[in-house]
Amino acid sequence: MSETAKLIYEGKEYEIPVITGSEGEKALDISKLRGATGYITLDSGFVNTGSCKSSITFLDGEKGILRYRGYPIEQLAEHSTFLEVAYLLIYGQLPTEAEYKEFKHIVTHHTMIHEDLKRLYDGFRKDSHPMAILSSMICTLSGYYGESMDPLNERHQEISIYRLIAKTPTIAAYSFKKSIGQPFIYPKNSLSYVANFINMMFSVPTEDYYIDPVVERALDLLLILHADHEQNCSASTVRLVGSSHANIYVSVASGVNALWGPLHGGANQAVIEMLKEIHEAGGDIKKFVDKAKDKTSGFRLMGFGHRVYKNFDPRAVIIKKAADDVLTKLDIHDPLLDIAKELEEVALSDEYFLEKKLYPNVDFYSGIIYKALRIPVEMFTVMFALGRMPGWIAQWREMIYDKETKIGRPRQIFTGENKREYVKIAQRT
Ligand code: CMC
């Protein structure tokens, strides 16, 4: 029997259907509320609002659980590869060997970008932020594949998905090469997805380039950990834009833009900048913690806090350990890692952070690893985008196939002026 909740208001009683998810989480279905009552609901920032039913990623913020398609993130981090996780997120199950081989083959053979697209990089200033380049380039792909990007055509969807997964590393690596004035390095089909990206980032045409397996594995791990996170700001943006049946390239490019903000993916760059600032100011951690607690300072501890995780972020736990491993294996001593650990310790024994349940999030330690891998700070959020690409695609695909999808169009409570008469300019005081 389906459950209902009761709303009693102004002497009238309304039945509201209760929806239960596969992990037992409950929601009140208010989609018919306005029709029945004339009222809408108000929830700034969608803190308490489910925008869709989804079977991709499960989070339990209280218990620190993250699962992609049912698989715990810890197991995927230990045993899987990014490309396999991409397949899992998009198609719903882990690929068989044959499926994986085919997927890898197709992705590998779509990594080049159109030669004309390369010329677009010349229009950017040398110091353009690579996120600006990434979103522009992904958007521009829609100008190159106009004949195959109907969001409702299954074949068009598939080819667009391959293109996005395959070309994003190339676009990202070229934006780095542009910033340092080096020639673009073409993708190499003999390399793995991640090794190919590293090669395009760091090799030069004049020399052979050795790809350190420690670097390759570390990057693969980071991409897995960033691959999806259910209805976050950028995924919701991709769904919202896509719900108008805009093509997948512009929908995903909108996700890139949403990710750029320092409260979202841009936090990984902001964390390193903050750690550097603490280091350069003599390492007085308490001063920065106090500043973060002072609401008038406008300063927050970057890499701390999360809308959903109120206990710990399971990705941060894995990344913290990986940061230790990678730095040891690469024989790097980074004082910023020491500062980060000390900062975590000080914050987590402080009443303010404990009471507000503010813990290190995915962005807190990831930058230390990126830095150890010689990825420049401006590229950190691009790395996040590279990892999040399969998640955005999976969310977009689910939205397109979902029979309940409607164009995203929230309502509002109007708080402006009531009707008033137009006053000609000469009579205005
Ligand atoms: N430092 C100091 N105080 C904080 C912080 C922080 N990092 N984060 C939240 N607070 C305080 C905040 O001032 C508020 O206090 P009060 O209740 O007294 O007004 C309380 O904690 C709740 O914060 P909120 O901003 O209402 O929470 P939210 O769910 O809207 O925001 C957040 C979540 C992640 C945007 C926020 O914690 C934040 O700004 N963190 C720093 C930026 C960051 O690390 N972002 C990456 C998020 S994880 C990866 C991703 O999503 O891309």
Side-chain angles (χ1 to χ4, degrees):
M1 217 182 68
S2 53
E3 272 185 273
T4 53
K6 267 194 190 121
L7 172 71
I8 302 169
Y9 189 61
E10 291 179 334
K12 285 197 193 132
E13 221 177 88
Y14 306 97
E15 298 253 312
I16 302 182
V18 175
I19 308 281
T20 307
S22 53
E23 289 287 337
E25 71 278 25
K26 304 253 182 192
L28 302 182
D29 177 355
I30 51 100
S31 55
K32 306 263 185 318
L33 187 73
R34 188 169 179 275
T37 67
Y39 307 130
I40 62 163
T41 54
L42 181 64
D43 181 20
S44 301
F46 312 119
V47 176
N48 213 33
T49 295
S51 59
C52 59
K53 292 178 195 147
S54 179
S55 58
I56 303 170
T57 290
F58 174 70
L59 292 190
D60 184 327
E62 268 68 42
K63 296 191 186 128
I65 291 174
L66 170 59
R67 295 184 204 135
Y68 297 160
R69 302 280 189 187
Y71 296 101
I73 190 67
E74 293 79 9
Q75 289 181 24
L76 293 168
E78 191 178 344
H79 303 295
S80 198
T81 63
F82 175 64
L83 222 45
E84 190 181 53
V85 165
Y87 187 100
L88 170 71
L89 285 167
I90 297 168
Y91 301 111
Q93 68 276 321
L94 286 168
T96 60
E97 257 181 66
E99 286 166 340
Y100 189 41
K101 199 170 157 212
E102 191 193 352
F103 185 59
K104 264 201 296 199
H105 180 85
I106 298 175
V107 168
T108 305
H109 288 81
H110 281 86
T111 47
M112 285 199 301
I113 59 170
H114 196 289
E115 285 294 298
D116 292 348
L117 201 52
K118 277 169 59 183
R119 290 211 295 276
L120 244 78
Y121 285 83
D122 294 336
F124 285 94
R125 260 171 58 152
K126 187 171 176 287
D127 58 357
S128 294
H129 197 286
M131 282 297 274
I133 301 181
L134 182 68
S135 95
S136 309
M137 288 293 168
I138 291 180
C139 209
T140 308
L141 289 179
S142 59
Y144 282 73
Y145 301 113
E147 73 297 339
S148 54
M149 57 186 196
D150 175 357
L152 305 179
N153 177 315
E154 217 174 302
R155 180 64 199 139
H156 290 191
Q157 284 175 15
E158 287 312 287
I159 182 79
S160 306
I161 289 170
Y162 297 139
R163 284 180 183 135
L164 277 167
I165 299 271
K167 294 181 199 305
T168 305
T170 314
I171 290 172
Y174 283 10
S175 70
F176 173 56
K177 288 299 197 191
K178 159 81 187 171
S179 73
I180 55 171
Q182 284 188 0
F184 296 159
I185 302 293
Y186 282 103
K188 216 174 179 177
N189 288 358
S190 58
L191 297 174
S192 76
Y193 186 83
V194 170
N196 177 48
F197 174 68
I198 296 169
N199 191 59
M200 290 188 292
M201 283 282 289
F202 299 117
S203 74
V204 286
T206 44
E207 278 174 31
D208 291 334
Y209 185 74
Y210 167 72
I211 297 160
D212 188 334
V214 173
V215 174
E216 187 181 345
R217 178 60 198 143
L219 213 48
D220 203 52
L221 173 72
L222 285 171
L223 297 182
I224 291 173
L225 295 175
H226 286 85
D228 193 49
H229 215 233
E230 51 118 302
Q231 308 314 317
N232 55 79
C233 179
S234 55
S236 301
T237 302
V238 171
R239 277 181 178 261
L240 190 64
V241 175
S243 75
S244 74
H245 293 176
N247 68 70
I248 189 171
Y249 301 107
V250 294
S251 304
V252 165
S254 308
V256 173
N257 291 329
L259 186 76
W260 192 1
L263 299 188
H264 193 8
N268 57 13
Q269 175 173 344
V271 170
I272 287 291
E273 284 162 358
M274 174 187 77
L275 294 174
K276 269 192 195 147
E277 200 188 328
I278 298 175
H279 185 50
E280 281 159 15
D284 187 349
I285 284 168
K286 193 170 170 306
K287 192 175 114 195
F288 282 82
V289 170
D290 288 343
K291 197 169 151 198
K293 285 156 59 178
D294 173 9
K295 288 273 165 30
T296 61
S297 72
F299 172 77
R300 287 185 165 199
L301 272 196
M302 298 315 285
F304 261 76
H306 197 273
R307 172 64 60 80
V308 184
Y309 293 122
K310 300 297 172 197
N311 191 341
F312 66 94
D313 181 337
R315 303 166 300 174
V317 175
I318 300 171
I319 294 181
K320 182 181 179 183
K321 185 175 171 311
D324 268 329
D325 287 354
V326 170
L327 266 65
T328 307
K329 281 185 190 148
L330 298 177
D331 198 17
I332 294 173
H333 177 77
D334 188 343
L336 298 194
L337 179 59
D338 299 334
I339 291 179
K341 283 183 180 171
E342 208 183 320
L343 185 60
E344 180 185 358
E345 211 178 301
V346 173
L348 294 189
S349 53
D350 190 295
E351 204 40 48
Y352 174 94
F353 290 87
L354 290 173
E355 190 199 307
K356 295 187 191 303
K357 299 184 189 301
L358 301 169
Y359 295 86
N361 58 46
V362 68
D363 294 317
F364 193 64
Y365 285 104
S366 62
I368 308 243
I369 306 185
Y370 291 137
K371 196 164 160 274
L373 307 184
R374 291 180 39 238
I375 291 171
V377 178
E378 299 72 39
M379 285 291 287
F380 286 5
T381 315
V382 170
M383 299 309 300
F384 194 149
L386 203 55
R388 188 52 59 86
M389 186 54 70
W392 287 329
I393 291 170
Q395 299 286 346
W396 177 87
R397 196 168 178 269
E398 187 176 63
M399 177 276 304
I400 283 288
Y401 277 112
D402 186 349
K403 299 250 180 317
E404 291 180 19
T405 296
K406 291 179 193 296
I407 185 168
R409 204 303 184 186
R411 288 187 178 264
Q412 63 167 15
I413 295 293
F414 179 68
T415 57
E417 298 284 348
N418 295 116
K419 187 183 173 205
R420 49 185 174 166
E421 295 302 317
Y422 180 79
V423 181
K424 288 189 180 148
I425 196 161
Q427 279 128 39
R428 285 176 218 158
T429 49

